[in-house]
Amino acid sequence: MTKNVYTIGFLIFIIIIAVFFITNIFFRDIHYYNTSVLLNAFFVPFICAVGAYLSVTAYSRYKKVLSFKEAFGRAFMPMFVAGVLSLSFIYTYISYIDTDTKDLLNHQYIESYKQSLEDEYQKAKEIIKPDTDEMKDLEEKYAEGKLRIEAKENKKEDMFSFEYFIYIFGGFNLFFIILSVFFGSFFRSKKDEKILHHSFALRDGEK
């Protein structure tokens, strides 16, 4: 079963969606947006990396010697499949089935933006001397930031639109490619070591 990249990708997808629903049911609080961000930033890449590793190692035990292309494909495809399925499912779910989740995420995103702006303003205000050009610049940037937030609220801007998910998918794909290059290089080097070891063994045998 683990020789099939699509099966591994589907298993990664199942794990991601299971964690998504666990978070949605049991951690739906004032930190739900931050929790979701952390899961996307750390858990999803981790579980994809584990799946890619298992995919390559399982195939290497079967094939014994892999080329860079083979190792790259075995690592990339499960992650790509899991990424497509996961993001497609989550986008469809929060956009058409549980729209309250999208509303909550949008609301908490704005609140997080407000808090971040306020924190940066207060920290800078403690350092910068009053009645200086730096303070004037700070006040202007703070006012501009508040206007941007207000404009987003008035427009009811959807921060979790299809376009947003495309950007997220693009970011994940960049990670998938980098990780797959690493696996491809690592297992290719293993192949070269085996060939070198074999040549030395033959040379020693001739002696």
Side-chain angles (χ1 to χ4, degrees):
M1 183 177 70
T2 52
K3 293 176 188 175
N4 191 317
V5 291
Y6 301 104
T7 300
I8 298 172
F10 186 74
L11 290 174
I12 298 171
F13 159 70
I14 293 297
I15 293 171
I16 292 173
I17 296 305
V19 172
F20 167 74
F21 278 115
I22 290 170
T23 306
N24 196 28
I25 295 169
F26 298 105
F27 299 93
R28 194 184 179 94
D29 53 19
I30 59 173
H31 304 296
Y32 181 62
Y33 169 77
N34 290 330
T35 302
S36 299
V37 170
L38 289 173
L39 287 173
N40 278 307
F42 297 103
F43 174 76
V44 172
F46 171 76
I47 198 65
C48 286
V50 170
Y53 174 78
L54 293 176
S55 174
V56 179
T57 53
Y59 193 67
S60 68
R61 285 193 294 270
Y62 164 74
K63 185 76 181 292
K64 303 301 181 186
V65 177
L66 300 180
S67 66
F68 173 85
K69 182 178 179 181
E70 287 174 320
F72 180 93
R74 292 293 307 186
F76 180 77
M77 282 308 298
M79 296 189 289
F80 180 79
V81 169
V84 170
L85 293 177
S86 301
L87 290 177
S88 298
F89 179 89
I90 293 171
Y91 171 76
T92 302
Y93 181 80
I94 68 174
S95 296
Y96 302 104
I97 300 172
D98 184 9
T99 55
D100 288 342
T101 293
K102 179 184 271 195
D103 293 339
L104 177 62
L105 287 169
N106 276 313
H107 171 72
Q108 291 190 355
Y109 166 77
I110 293 295
E111 292 302 312
S112 175
Y113 193 179
K114 284 181 182 177
Q115 190 60 50
S116 177
L117 177 66
E118 192 64 33
D119 289 344
E120 289 178 8
Y121 171 69
Q122 293 299 333
K123 287 178 183 177
K125 196 175 179 181
E126 292 175 0
I127 299 171
I128 299 174
K129 294 180 180 179
D131 301 323
T132 60
D133 291 338
E134 289 82 359
M135 180 57 73
K136 289 180 182 177
D137 289 339
L138 176 64
E139 294 290 349
E140 287 176 4
K141 290 178 181 178
Y142 178 63
E144 289 172 1
K146 291 178 73 174
L147 287 174
R148 283 196 298 270
I149 293 172
E150 186 179 350
K152 289 178 182 292
E153 289 180 311
N154 291 336
K155 286 195 237 178
K156 294 183 178 179
E157 190 172 341
D158 183 8
M159 300 307 300
F160 297 89
S161 62
F162 181 76
E163 183 180 4
Y164 168 84
F165 274 81
I166 291 295
Y167 288 140
I168 293 295
F169 184 58
F172 277 135
N173 271 326
L174 180 60
F175 168 75
F176 297 160
I177 290 170
I178 293 172
L179 188 61
S180 299
V181 168
F182 169 77
F183 279 127
S185 300
F186 178 79
F187 280 91
R188 182 184 61 181
S189 68
K190 290 292 184 184
K191 173 186 175 181
D192 293 339
E193 288 174 7
K194 289 177 181 178
I195 293 173
L196 187 62
H197 178 74
H198 182 64
S199 64
F200 281 139
L202 289 176
R203 186 182 303 172
D204 292 338
E206 290 174 358
K207 291 179 181 178

